[in-house]
Amino acid sequence: MGKIRTWAKGYIEIHVWGSRPERFLSLLNHKQIHIWEVEPYEGGYRFKLERCHVRELDTMRKKTGCNIKVLNKYGLPFFLFRYRKRKFFVLGLLLCGILIYVCSLFIWDINVGGTYFYTDEQIKTRIEEAYVTVGQRKSQVDCNWLEEQLRQDFPEISWVSCDIIGTQLNVEIKETLEGTETINEDTGPQDIVAAKDGVVVEMITRSGTPVVKIGQSIAKGDILISGVINIYDDFDEVIETDYVAADGDIIGETVYQYEDSFEMQYYEKEYTGNHQSAFTIEIMNWVQDIHLPWKEFSNYDVVEENHKLRLGHTYYLPVSFTVKERREYTPVLCTYTEEEAKERAQSRLQRFLDTLSEKEVEIMENNVTIEIRDGVCYAAGNVVVWERIGYGRPLSIPEPPAPDAETGSGESQESL
């Protein structure tokens, strides 16, 4: 903010030289005139100071016998003076600045990250359709309320964070299949339940009451660690019940079914080098296509690149342009050899396994087989893994029983 204020007032760069330039600097300090970027320069010094102190320099110059020279002028006053005859240009710049400020009051981009089970586009579409639209005022967006709504709409989301940076709404989520690390100090009473079917192989309970044991089969939705803690007396009767946020790590052995197939014959694209381009400009709700008449291509791919106008990383503006390109190709019929087909099937299977590994899943068995029948390559089987399968589910606390009205009135009469 200090730099902006200095630029608005205007400042100059001065060169001081002569017999006693150091005394000149001392007088500046004595009069509490702020200078910066002081450095030796051609037998004296050069420095910068605000425009409002220029008139005081002549008196100090006479006292010290120094010479002064203005090297450069910076800031808004000098800029306006330089273009004083170009009023419409300056007016356009001011209007542009006002427009940018007005645009900064609205949401112009929604960014979603951290998804796995859901897609970024799925979350973004739900937000735009039901809660926050592009072009909505930032002051109308309640991030805490939006977080609650997303947790209700998408049950697999266990943690979500929404914040506004610049003109961008950032939504970062974690899903329940990632484990139970989402417990925090603000979590209310809850159970840890199973996210899918499996067998418990490892279990660590940090708070709550464990309900299952290692080696036990579980089904999706079963309670693994209860948030209910009962306190018993010597006669095994419940004397007190506490409700806590159950917390723990449960590793389960689960099975993923895998099926994939593709034809041995396929078409390969040979691009001819012919292409044609088009541009689309979008300003808020106004859309304009710009292109020459399309040539007729029998076979072609369409490649689109969308670019949103922004200042910096998060200051998006309601202006975007899209480059669309058609690329012509000729389809050529090819056939995989048996070795090539198995390599392709194995490569696709490996991508599936790598996707599992990204979820911190430990692969224990790979029972997928690859075979070729009737001109089709098949890959089928299952993959046995160890993964976190517990996530938090809010616990409903029963209300305490109401006191007996008759008993209460009888005791009142006895006391009277």
Side-chain angles (χ1 to χ4, degrees), residues 185-232:
E185 295 180 356
D186 298 328
T187 302
Q190 66 174 13
D191 296 326
I192 300 298
V193 300
K196 55 171 59 179
D197 300 345
V199 178
V200 179
V201 293
E202 292 183 9
M203 184 171 179
I204 298 175
T205 303
R206 287 186 285 271
S207 65
T209 305
V211 178
V212 297
K213 299 179 180 179
I214 294 177
Q216 181 176 337
S217 297
I218 56 174
K220 180 179 180 179
D222 287 350
I223 297 177
L224 307 179
I225 302 177
S226 173
V228 179
I229 300 179
N230 293 320
I231 301 175
Y232 299 88

Side-chain angles (χ1 to χ4, degrees), residues 86-270:
R86 302 180 182 178
K87 297 180 181 179
F88 290 103
F89 174 72
V90 175
L91 180 61
L93 289 179
L94 292 175
L95 291 177
C96 181
I98 294 173
L99 181 62
I100 291 176
Y101 170 74
V102 172
C103 289
S104 69
L105 303 177
F106 299 85
I107 298 292
W108 297 116
D109 186 63
I110 299 176
N111 177 53
V112 179
T115 58
Y116 180 80
F117 183 82
Y118 302 106
T119 64
D120 294 353
E121 194 61 31
Q122 189 176 1
I123 303 291
K124 184 176 179 180
T125 300
R126 177 58 181 170
I127 293 173
E128 292 181 347
E129 289 179 351
Y131 306 120
V132 180
T133 58
V134 173
Q136 184 172 337
R137 288 183 66 93
K138 294 193 293 187
S139 58
Q140 298 176 346
V141 179
D142 186 342
C143 290
N144 293 329
W145 177 80
L146 178 59
E147 292 170 1
E148 292 295 331
Q149 297 304 311
L150 291 177
R151 277 194 288 264
Q152 293 177 14
D153 293 344
F154 300 95
E156 299 294 337
I157 294 179
S158 60
W159 177 87
V160 57
S161 173
C162 301
D163 63 338
I164 298 174
I165 302 176
T167 59
Q168 185 181 60
L169 172 64
N170 286 299
V171 180
E172 190 69 24
I173 72 172
K174 285 187 178 180
E175 299 171 356
T176 54
L177 295 181
E178 295 185 4
T180 60
E181 303 88 347
T182 58
I183 306 296
N184 54 56
E185 295 180 356
D186 298 328
T187 302
Q190 66 174 13
D191 296 326
I192 300 298
V193 300
K196 55 171 59 179
D197 300 345
V199 178
V200 179
V201 293
E202 292 183 9
M203 184 171 179
I204 298 175
T205 303
R206 287 186 285 271
S207 65
T209 305
V211 178
V212 297
K213 299 179 180 179
I214 294 177
Q216 181 176 337
S217 297
I218 56 174
K220 180 179 180 179
D222 287 350
I223 297 177
L224 307 179
I225 302 177
S226 173
V228 179
I229 300 179
N230 293 320
I231 301 175
Y232 299 88
D233 59 12
D234 295 338
F235 301 99
D236 291 334
E237 294 182 356
V238 178
I239 60 175
E240 186 179 349
T241 301
D242 290 335
Y243 299 92
V244 301
D247 186 12
D249 296 327
I250 301 95
I251 306 298
E253 183 176 278
T254 61
V255 178
Y256 285 82
Q257 298 296 329
Y258 180 82
E259 291 185 1
D260 185 26
S261 64
F262 56 87
E263 299 283 342
M264 295 292 287
Q265 287 189 334
Y266 66 99
Y267 284 96
E268 191 170 285
K269 300 177 182 179
E270 287 189 359

Side-chain angles (χ1 to χ4, degrees), residues 289-326:
D289 293 324
I290 303 173
H291 62 83
L292 297 174
W294 292 112
K295 299 177 183 178
E296 291 297 329
F297 290 157
S298 299
N299 300 284
Y300 59 89
D301 286 335
V302 178
V303 180
E304 291 188 6
E305 292 185 5
N306 181 264
H307 304 274
K308 288 190 174 183
L309 186 62
R310 65 181 184 179
L311 304 176
H313 294 288
T314 58
Y315 194 105
Y316 285 84
L317 298 174
V319 179
S320 65
F321 65 94
T322 302
V323 180
K324 183 186 297 185
E325 184 178 17
R326 289 185 176 186

